[in-house]
Amino acid sequence: MTVREPSPVPDPARDPAPGPAPLSPRLLTLSAPTVDLLERATDELADRLDAMGDTGLARLPAVPAPPAEPGAVRRAVLANSAGNAARWLRKRDVRRVFTGRPGDGSSRVFLFSGVGDQYPGLGAGLYRCLPAFREELDRCFRVLADEHGLDLHAVLFPAGHREEPAEVFDRHTAPQEIHRTVVAQPLLFALQYSLARALTALGAGPAALAGYSVGEYTAACVAGVFPVEHALRLVTGRARLVDELPPGAMLAAAAGPEALDGPLAGLLPGPLSLAALNGPQQTVLSGPVEAVEEAVRRLTGAGLPCQRLATAHAYHSTMTEALTGPLEELLGTVPLAPPAIPLLSNVTGTWLRDEEATSPAFWARQLSRTLRFSDELAEIWRLPDPMLVELGPGQALTRLALGHPDRPANALASVVQTLPGRLESRTEWELLLTAAGRLWAAGAAVDWAALAEEPAAGNSAATATATEGRG
């Protein structure tokens, strides 16, 4: 399907002749039985890229098909020009050249974001070129339409939508339908759940899971705690309950809780609640609009940076405690099971226990408790060689992870983005190929045939293999 308006027919009298179309990105993969052979093959490939130029690069096969070589060392790079690919390969640029081998012991951790960063058209590229994602998303949208009266396909992929600058930069414009609570939460659940299922079908499933706020429900569904149809009903019901609350607000402060005690005396604790601990110096407050506005004045006067968050509700505060009973009643109708994949808890900040996962009361309290995401990140960084795969738009959660004090020195090479943020120029196809290359280099058995449905623009990928005695 297409979500952009068709381009106008060019008028030769007014429009200059178009230049050559830019080369769509190519994924190049290398493998070799030893590190020394891989390094030699990398330099040889760089030389061949210089010789072939962009014309030769454009002729390479559409989808990589690396041979199955148990124990081989792997390397992948994505580039839209032969010169860039050659330069990055020679430099062994870890931001763009991904190296590893099966059995390195890396732990893939799927991260599911909360609402706030979604936008119309998100996922449209994956919908076109990743059949498993399209099938799962269509299934979720059918359930939401048939059983809950939500036409989210039209919200996510509106016909003829053209985003205006004010929608991005002006917080005073009327909120879009995609940001209404009763729409945003089930929509983001469906999107991230479908992407998790698609990545798993590609051969890159998770070893562990973590989610932020409502994202924890998606993580729990992927872990097998909730069946997906029940999870859609649960998330939709939760969103409708939240939508009935009085208006509230949330505030991010660049300070730890102890630094807030003085400036916010009488407000915290009090009208304000500690909504989230995202890092040692990253705290989120939540409560009535008037209390948050007073907190802004006090923190600004004290020289502490802070920023209002784009939300109409005071999540994870005393204002949401009234929903604990209705949520527990709703959860009592949902079959709950112990997680089949290790799952971190927002409430405890550590690994979810079976008795917690199967307790409606435990899940009902999540909405009004402090999110201990910083503690969850500490647990993630204790895993053997963790690879963080963010399934929401942009890199909000992985940025928090990279800023965590327990982050290893080489962690930059352990972050995988799957969807672009609203203002990013990289396409979803480009991010998908990058993610597939990074995951394959780290040992995933990627099903390359599942990527064969590429966009019509002609994006493609290619493979080079090094074995003993040949490039």
Side-chain angles (χ1 to χ4, degrees), residues 296-363:
V296 171
R297 287 190 288 270
R298 292 193 193 182
L299 293 177
T300 302
L304 294 174
C306 60
Q307 182 178 0
R308 282 277 297 270
L309 301 182
T311 178
H313 301 291
Y315 294 95
H316 305 286
S317 75
T318 56
M319 291 184 70
T320 55
E321 286 181 350
L323 301 183
T324 302
L327 275 173
E328 186 171 353
E329 183 177 347
L330 176 60
L331 280 149
T333 68
V334 175
L336 303 175
I341 303 170
L343 169 66
L344 285 161
S345 164
N346 286 172
V347 173
T348 65
T350 189
W351 301 103
L352 186 71
R353 302 197 304 266
D354 289 356
E355 60 268 27
E356 294 167 339
T358 54
S359 166
F362 182 84
W363 285 105

Side-chain angles (χ1 to χ4, degrees), residues 49-120:
L49 286 164
D50 280 337
M52 73 172 61
D54 289 347
T55 301
L57 185 64
R59 297 194 186 105
L60 292 175
V63 175
E69 294 181 303
V73 193
R74 298 175 174 184
R75 179 164 285 161
V77 62
L78 185 81
N80 59 3
S81 78
N84 282 342
R87 182 169 64 255
W88 295 336
L89 285 168
R90 288 194 179 96
K91 291 175 62 178
R92 312 299 197 259
D93 187 339
V94 296
R95 297 171 301 170
R96 298 180 173 93
V97 178
F98 318 125
T99 307
R101 73 164 75 224
D104 274 355
S106 63
S107 305
R108 284 190 295 273
V109 183
F110 281 10
L111 302 178
F112 300 87
S113 61
V115 296
D117 294 326
Q118 69 278 3
Y119 54 89

Side-chain angles (χ1 to χ4, degrees), residues 322-464:
L323 301 183
T324 302
L327 275 173
E328 186 171 353
E329 183 177 347
L330 176 60
L331 280 149
T333 68
V334 175
L336 303 175
I341 303 170
L343 169 66
L344 285 161
S345 164
N346 286 172
V347 173
T348 65
T350 189
W351 301 103
L352 186 71
R353 302 197 304 266
D354 289 356
E355 60 268 27
E356 294 167 339
T358 54
S359 166
F362 182 84
W363 285 105
R365 291 194 298 271
Q366 187 250 26
L367 183 60
S368 60
R369 294 294 193 270
T370 301
L371 296 181
R372 302 192 175 278
F373 196 67
S374 181
D375 292 340
E376 294 180 59
L377 292 174
E379 293 284 4
I380 289 172
W381 288 129
R382 291 188 189 105
L383 294 172
D385 193 19
M387 174 166 281
L388 280 57
V389 183
E390 183 155 0
L391 281 79
Q395 302 180 78
L397 299 184
T398 48
R399 279 197 296 268
L400 291 176
L402 292 175
H404 196 275
D406 292 346
R407 173 186 68 89
N410 63 345
L412 185 61
S414 303
V415 171
V416 178
Q417 182 181 358
T418 59
L419 287 167
R422 195 170 190 174
L423 299 178
E424 284 191 58
S425 60
R426 287 184 296 174
T427 67
E428 292 181 7
W429 175 250
E430 183 177 354
L431 286 174
L432 176 62
L433 286 180
T434 302
R438 189 187 287 269
L439 292 166
W440 173 81
V446 174
D447 179 9
W448 298 105
L451 296 175
E453 239 184 87
E454 60 179 341
N459 296 327
S460 59
T463 301

Side-chain angles (χ1 to χ4, degrees), residues 226-290:
F226 315 125
V228 63
E229 291 82 3
H230 290 277
L232 288 166
R233 177 168 59 87
L234 175 57
V235 170
T236 302
R238 179 183 185 267
R240 287 173 171 161
L241 287 170
V242 169
D243 205 44
E244 295 173 359
L245 290 172
M250 301 182 74
L251 179 70
E258 64 287 343
L260 302 177
D261 290 341
L264 299 184
L267 289 176
L268 181 72
L272 291 181
S273 300
L274 193 60
L277 296 170
N278 292 336
Q281 300 299 317
Q282 298 190 64
T283 303
V284 179
L285 307 175
S286 186
V289 174
E290 299 79 7

Side-chain angles (χ1 to χ4, degrees), residues 1 3 118-122 127 137-146 148-159 177-191 232 235-236 239-240:
M1 69 167 287
V3 296
Q118 69 278 3
Y119 54 89
L122 178 66
Y127 194 91
L137 190 61
D138 283 346
R139 180 163 72 103
C140 289
F141 281 177
R142 280 195 300 271
V143 171
L144 290 167
D146 294 346
H148 306 286
L150 294 171
D151 181 8
L152 297 190
H153 193 284
V155 174
L156 187 58
F157 305 134
E177 179 73 1
I178 200 169
H179 292 297
R180 287 203 306 123
T181 301
V182 294
V183 169
Q185 295 196 8
L187 185 150
L188 195 64
F189 173 95
L191 184 82
L232 288 166
V235 170
T236 302
R240 287 173 171 161

